[in-house]
Amino acid sequence: MDPDPDPESRSEGRGASTGTLLDTLRVAVVMLDTSGRVLLWSPLAQEVLGWAGEHIVGRRVGGLFGPPESPPGQPPRRGPDEIPRMPDPSPAEQILADLLRGGRWDGILSLRHRDGHTVQVETRASLLVDGDGRPFVLASMVETSRLRTLEHDLAALDSLFDSSPLGVAIFDRDLRYVRLNEALAAMNGMPVADHIGHTVLEVLDERSAADLTALQRDVLATGRPVIDLVTYAPHGRGHRSLSYHRLVDRAGRVLGISATVIDVTERVQAAAKVERARRRLALLNDVGTRIANVLDVRRCAEALAAAVVPTFSDYSGVILHAEVADGGELPTAPYGDNTPMRQLGTGAVRWGPEVERMILTGQAIGFTRKSIFGTVLSTGQPRMVSSEEELLATTFPGDPKVRAALALGVHSLLVLPLRARGVVLGLLVVSRAREREPFDHDDLALAMELANRAGAALDNARLYVREREGALMLQRSLLPQSVVEPPGVGVAFRYVPGSSGAEVGGDWFDVIPLAGGRVAFVVGDVMGHGLGAAATMGRLRTAVRTLAGLDMPPDELLRRVNELGDDLAQGQAEGWMATAVYAVYDPSTRRIAIAQAGHLPPVLVEPVTPPPPGGEGPGADPDECLARLVELPSGVPLGVGGVRFETTELAVADGAVLVLYTDGLVETRGQDIGEGLERLRQTLCRPLPSLEDSCDDVLAIMQPGREPDDVALLMARLGGLPAGSTASWTFPAEPSAVRLARRRVRDTLVEWGLAPLTDVTMLLVSELVTNSLRYAHGPIGVRMVRGSSLLVEVSDPLPDPPRERIATLEDEGGRGLQLVARASRRWGTRHGRFGKTVWFELALP
């Protein structure tokens, strides 16, 4: 509710106002003649003393001053409207006599209320004369209790104005000073008298007065108070807290506004110091959080430079010794003009050509030994640059980076040493430009704390880089540096180390050539990280490669590796576990045998079937994805045991691509691994121009968002041997088998242009077929493969492998395998589903 601020707008026909000061005081008016007879008795007199006008007008008032007629404790013996009579002389007569003599009387009277109790009133009486010259007495009475209350309130108000340390002021409806105390006058720097009757526009400076006037008008118009509004003091000298309230009398009329002003300069300064300390602690915490877990020198430098902009500075740069940047040893030689320094981290509030000229990541930093940079690097003491002359002396005369800084308006600079274990690693350089306030000594202390923490973090990152490089070197030395590519097979591979510090993983891959042009592919992952996992990985790879030379089926090889596991993983007290997939491909038959131990399924990408000539007939659907996950018995990881491994054989189309990988390729934080497998499958559905490009494509798409784990990826294009590169026969278990086998071998070698190998090949085939006839009872198979060497295989149904023994001069047999071992480049046996196979290889002429 907004009362009418204009008292003149009130209608005069409304009668007496209510709620005014007179209503509070209740001033009673009485008119008497010179004999003390009542001529006029106001309604307020009736309210104060209880006597109605019709009962007392025309009577003397002397009875109101006397003691009661009845003894104490008994009601007066009179009628209800009878005025008590008092013996002469009465107090009224004495007062009347004084009035006739002096013309005026004032004092406190004790009058009797109609109901018998006494009422104290403060009275002022005057002797007046009417128009006919007749004298009369006019008296006004106020109850002393109400008057004392008002006097106390006024005394409190005077005390507030006179003794309060707060500035207090009253403004009228025109916002002119009506009253103010000395405290406020002292704040404004003017005497109290110079304020009275003036507005703040006439007393204070223009900027402050305009804001305060708008604020006062709003409070006067709306009645909404303003409480503890902190603003600048006039002329910008400190701060003040302002509180405004609208003044309204008891009748609801707006009288003006009141103001309370407190000088809060010290409070604001203290709060500013607290806030500044809080921001500094927050900055220290933020910088510490950003760089604490960064285990790469370059990333740590970048995080440090970015953390101080724009909170602390406008531009920043982290400059390190070149060896520290590369994870080398701490610098030992004194810093000089030719010391290689590199800027690794930069930060700026805004970027542009001038900024890049001043600070550019990766650029070499030059300085002279006597420059500010050189002095800080040599002494390890920080420097605060606050003038153009000092800024020109930071590096070397004519440095374009310094000219760029001046062009950007840089006026304040801190050059801080980055130290670790008493050695200066480099510099943290922060600067402020244009209208931003320059650095002070408190800023220098904060910046040194930042630099000390950053130096320790950079040294930790340097050590991690060294350890990581050593661990990666060890891991890479255990992995194949190149792989063989047998005829009909193309191979591409990638190994990507994880990004979690120096913790290398146990991922590995290998491509192992087998007899007869066959090839084995293996991918595995030792659980855990660190040098222990890498060492176990190396032992497992060696074991797999060794057992692969025995030419055993994939499930048998995994079983043997699992049995050797406890010995291979020595030193890992918490146990060991590894997943692996092992595949053997035979280009001559285009069949692949695969077994896995708890590993992720391989992906087989089949070649697109071209449409038939003429464009008619069934062909490949261009929208069909030809990459599929190979369904295999998953088995259990190596190191668990208790479950048999199983081998699955598949026939593959010419040109199909087998993809083996570790889980780091498809695992993503917060995502089901099935989504990663499907994403990999969809990626491999794209055309594969080359295996190398396909490896890069897969890594580029699968890397974003993945866990920081190692990735091993192996892709093999599975083709067949050239036409006419194989020949095979089956002979009955009869004596003629030796003769027939020799003839077929001789004719084939002549056809292949390998006549120089005829004699030795026929001799060795004769020995092996003879052994099969002697011990086996079933068909005998002979197979020849021409590849990088000549492979000859002799198979029979007997599962037991032949045993090589040393024959004496008296023995009639036992020299066949000795002859094979000495005449061939290498030989061996392997088990099959229907027996065994003995093979040997001869080098091509």
Side-chain angles (χ1 to χ4, degrees):
M1 174 178 178
D2 291 332
D4 184 1
D6 187 1
E8 300 299 326
S9 67
R10 294 181 177 273
S11 173
E12 296 180 358
R14 295 182 184 177
S17 301
T18 59
T20 65
L21 184 59
L22 291 176
D23 294 320
T24 302
L25 293 176
R26 296 203 302 177
V27 179
V29 178
V30 178
M31 185 182 294
L32 307 172
D33 61 13
T34 54
S35 66
R37 191 179 305 276
V38 177
L39 301 177
L40 185 146
W41 188 260
S42 70
L44 282 177
Q46 178 181 344
E47 291 185 20
V48 173
L49 298 175
W51 299 99
E54 61 268 22
H55 299 146
I56 201 168
V57 173
R59 302 188 182 192
R60 297 181 184 278
V61 296
L64 297 176
F65 293 86
E69 296 177 340
S70 303
Q74 296 184 11
R77 299 173 183 175
R78 61 180 181 272
D81 298 324
E82 182 181 357
I83 300 176
R85 297 177 179 178
M86 298 298 296
D88 295 328
S90 68
E93 294 175 350
Q94 295 176 2
I95 294 174
L96 191 59
D98 292 340
L99 272 171
L100 295 175
R101 287 193 303 268
R104 180 173 180 175
W105 184 91
D106 60 80
I108 298 176
L109 300 176
S110 296
L111 302 181
R112 181 165 298 283
H113 195 275
R114 182 183 175 187
D115 62 9
H117 71 274
T118 300
V119 179
Q120 282 194 333
V121 294
E122 185 165 336
T123 306
R124 292 181 184 271
S126 301
L127 182 65
L128 304 176
V129 179
D130 64 10
D132 296 331
R134 291 190 299 269
F136 66 93
V137 176
L138 182 65
S140 59
M141 301 179 295
V142 178
E143 293 180 77
T144 57
S145 60
R146 292 176 178 267
L147 191 60
R148 296 296 176 264
T149 300
L150 179 60
E151 289 174 346
H152 291 162
D153 292 343
L154 292 175
L157 180 61
D158 290 340
S159 176
L160 174 64
F161 271 84
D162 296 337
S163 61
S164 173
L166 310 180
V168 182
I170 301 296
F171 296 85
D172 62 14
R173 291 164 41 80
D174 295 324
L175 302 180
R176 294 187 297 263
Y177 283 97
V178 175
R179 185 175 182 182
L180 74 158
N181 63 354
E182 291 290 346
L184 181 57
M187 290 183 192
N188 293 340
M190 295 177 61
V192 172
D194 292 347
H195 289 75
I196 303 301
H198 298 283
T199 65
V200 293
L201 287 171
E202 300 168 332
V203 173
L204 304 180
D205 65 276
E206 182 179 355
R207 181 176 180 180
S208 301
D211 295 338
L212 291 180
T213 300
L215 191 65
Q216 291 175 343
R217 287 173 178 168
D218 182 72
V219 174
L220 184 67
T222 65
R224 290 192 297 266
V226 173
I227 300 175
D228 195 23
L229 174 66
V230 178
T231 183
Y232 285 104
H235 307 289
R237 295 189 294 265
H239 292 79
R240 291 182 178 180
S241 170
L242 306 178
S243 297
Y244 287 103
H245 293 80
R246 188 165 70 177
L247 297 177
V248 181
D249 65 9
R250 292 177 180 268
R253 291 174 299 189
V254 178
L255 304 178
I257 61 173
S258 66
T260 304
V261 183
I262 306 174
D263 188 344
V264 294
T265 303
E266 293 183 357
R267 187 182 82 182
V268 172
Q269 291 175 348
K273 289 182 179 179
V274 171
E275 177 61 20
R276 190 174 185 183
R278 187 198 64 79
R279 288 199 302 265
R280 292 185 173 193
L281 289 175
L283 177 61
L284 285 173
N285 181 65
D286 181 52
V287 173
T289 301
R290 291 197 190 190
I291 65 177
N293 297 321
V294 179
L295 303 177
D296 180 86
V297 175
R298 288 174 174 80
R299 288 173 52 206
C300 185
E302 292 169 358
L304 173 60
V308 297
V309 174
T311 306
F312 186 69
S313 64
D314 293 325
Y315 305 102
S316 64
V318 177
I319 303 169
L320 295 179
H321 194 287
E323 290 188 10
V324 175
D326 296 331
E329 296 291 342
L330 291 175
T332 55
Y335 284 93
D337 296 354
N338 298 321
T339 302
M341 303 292 293
R342 239 183 286 168
Q343 188 154 255
L344 295 189
T346 56
V349 291
R350 64 185 64 86
W351 290 96
E354 291 292 337
V355 178
E356 293 181 356
R357 191 174 297 113
M358 178 179 67
I359 49 174
L360 181 63
T361 302
Q363 70 178 342
I365 302 297
F367 61 93
T368 62
R369 187 172 58 86
K370 294 184 178 181
S371 66
I372 292 179
F373 275 20
T375 302
V376 174
L377 288 170
S378 300
T379 64
Q381 298 299 317
R383 283 285 299 272
M384 183 164 58
V385 176
S386 55
S387 66
E388 182 176 340
E389 292 75 13
E390 289 180 313
L391 191 60
L392 291 171
T394 51
T395 54
F396 58 87
D399 189 351
K401 295 186 291 296
V402 175
R403 291 198 299 269
L406 292 173
L408 289 169
V410 172
H411 57 77
S412 186
L413 192 75
L414 293 180
V415 183
L416 310 155
L418 295 170
R419 297 175 298 195
R421 292 181 284 174
V423 178
V424 178
L425 310 179
L427 300 174
L428 170 63
V429 182
V430 293
S431 58
R432 291 179 178 174
R434 304 197 183 280
E435 59 276 355
R436 189 163 183 174
E437 63 180 6
F439 292 113
D440 56 22
H441 290 287
D442 289 341
D443 293 325
L444 179 60
L446 172 64
M448 272 308 301
E449 180 65 24
L450 286 174
N452 290 336
R453 297 189 181 190
L458 287 166
D459 188 47
N460 289 337
R462 177 188 67 86
L463 294 175
Y464 262 100
V465 168
R466 291 186 60 193
E467 184 177 351
R468 178 177 173 76
E469 289 299 325
L472 287 176
M473 185 180 299
L474 170 63
Q475 189 176 32
R476 290 192 180 101
S477 68
L478 298 175
L479 294 174
Q481 305 303 309
S482 61
V483 297
V484 297
E485 291 192 10
V489 177
V491 178
F493 59 90
R494 294 289 186 274
Y495 172 74
V496 181
S499 58
S500 56
E503 293 295 319
V504 297
D507 295 25
W508 94 93
F509 66 92
D510 207 349
V511 179
I512 307 170
L514 302 177
R518 293 176 306 119
V519 60
F521 308 105
V522 59
V523 167
D525 182 5
V526 177
M527 302 298 180
H529 293 84
L531 295 178
T536 300
M537 174 270 290
R539 298 189 189 104
L540 287 177
R541 176 175 175 262
T542 302
V544 169
R545 178 170 280 271
T546 301
L547 293 174
L550 300 179
D551 218 349
M552 57 183 61
D555 58 333
E556 177 66 15
L557 181 139
L558 293 179
R559 185 185 67 82
R560 295 281 187 92
V561 172
N562 188 57
E563 292 175 351
L564 294 172
D566 291 338
D567 294 332
L568 297 176
Q570 286 181 355
Q572 293 194 208
E574 68 279 6
W576 75 283
M577 193 163 57
T579 64
V581 57
Y582 181 80
V584 175
Y585 176 65
D586 189 344
S588 64
T589 61
R590 292 179 185 162
R591 295 188 66 83
I592 187 168
I594 310 176
Q596 63 182 10
H599 205 77
L600 294 172
V603 179
L604 188 63
V605 185
E606 299 177 342
V608 177
T609 303
E616 298 181 356
D621 185 351
D623 297 328
E624 181 182 1
C625 180
L626 301 179
R628 63 184 177 92
L629 299 175
V630 181
E631 297 183 1
L632 301 173
S634 61
V636 296
L638 301 172
V640 175
V643 178
R644 292 177 57 85
F645 303 105
E646 299 182 38
T647 296
T648 301
E649 290 194 12
L650 303 170
V652 297
D654 188 19
V657 176
L658 179 69
V659 181
L660 306 179
Y661 53 92
T662 55
D663 55 6
L665 183 68
V666 294
E667 281 188 342
T668 302
R669 188 185 303 274
Q671 187 180 85
D672 186 81
I673 195 171
E675 298 180 25
L677 292 173
E678 178 60 22
R679 187 166 64 251
L680 172 62
R681 193 185 70 84
Q682 292 292 340
T683 303
L684 292 171
C685 284
R686 302 177 181 182
L688 304 178
S690 70
L691 292 182
E692 295 293 336
D693 292 340
S694 297
C695 284
D696 294 336
D697 192 28
V698 168
L699 288 177
I701 293 178
M702 305 298 292
Q703 290 279 29
R706 74 174 183 87
E707 296 287 341
D709 199 1
D710 295 13
V711 173
L713 174 64
L714 178 64
M715 301 179 72
R717 191 183 300 275
L718 308 178
L721 294 176
S725 298
T726 63
S728 60
W729 310 274
T730 301
F731 306 104
E734 299 176 354
S736 60
V738 177
R739 177 175 50 82
L740 293 175
R742 288 169 58 89
R743 182 185 304 170
R744 297 285 195 277
V745 169
R746 182 192 58 198
D747 295 342
T748 301
L749 290 176
V750 172
E751 181 182 349
W752 286 351
L754 298 178
L757 299 180
T758 301
D759 293 340
V760 63
T761 305
M762 291 175 59
L763 174 62
L764 299 183
V765 167
S766 299
E767 291 293 335
L768 294 179
V769 172
T770 300
N771 282 343
S772 296
L773 286 173
R774 180 178 302 174
Y775 301 107
H777 303 284
I780 301 172
V782 177
R783 179 170 173 263
M784 298 176 61
V785 179
R786 181 187 59 182
S788 57
S789 62
L790 177 64
L791 170 71
V792 180
E793 298 177 342
V794 177
S795 304
D796 59 56
L798 186 67
D800 297 330
R803 290 180 297 173
E804 182 181 3
R805 59 189 179 89
I806 300 177
T808 62
L809 295 177
E810 292 79 14
D811 291 335
E812 295 181 359
R815 296 179 176 85
L817 290 182
Q818 292 184 22
L819 183 61
V820 172
R822 293 180 181 180
S824 64
R825 188 171 67 177
R826 60 175 183 164
W827 73 283
T829 62
R830 68 173 181 272
H831 293 283
R833 288 180 296 176
F834 306 108
K836 70 174 185 300
T837 298
V838 181
W839 57 270
F840 63 87
E841 278 187 358
L842 297 174
L844 298 180

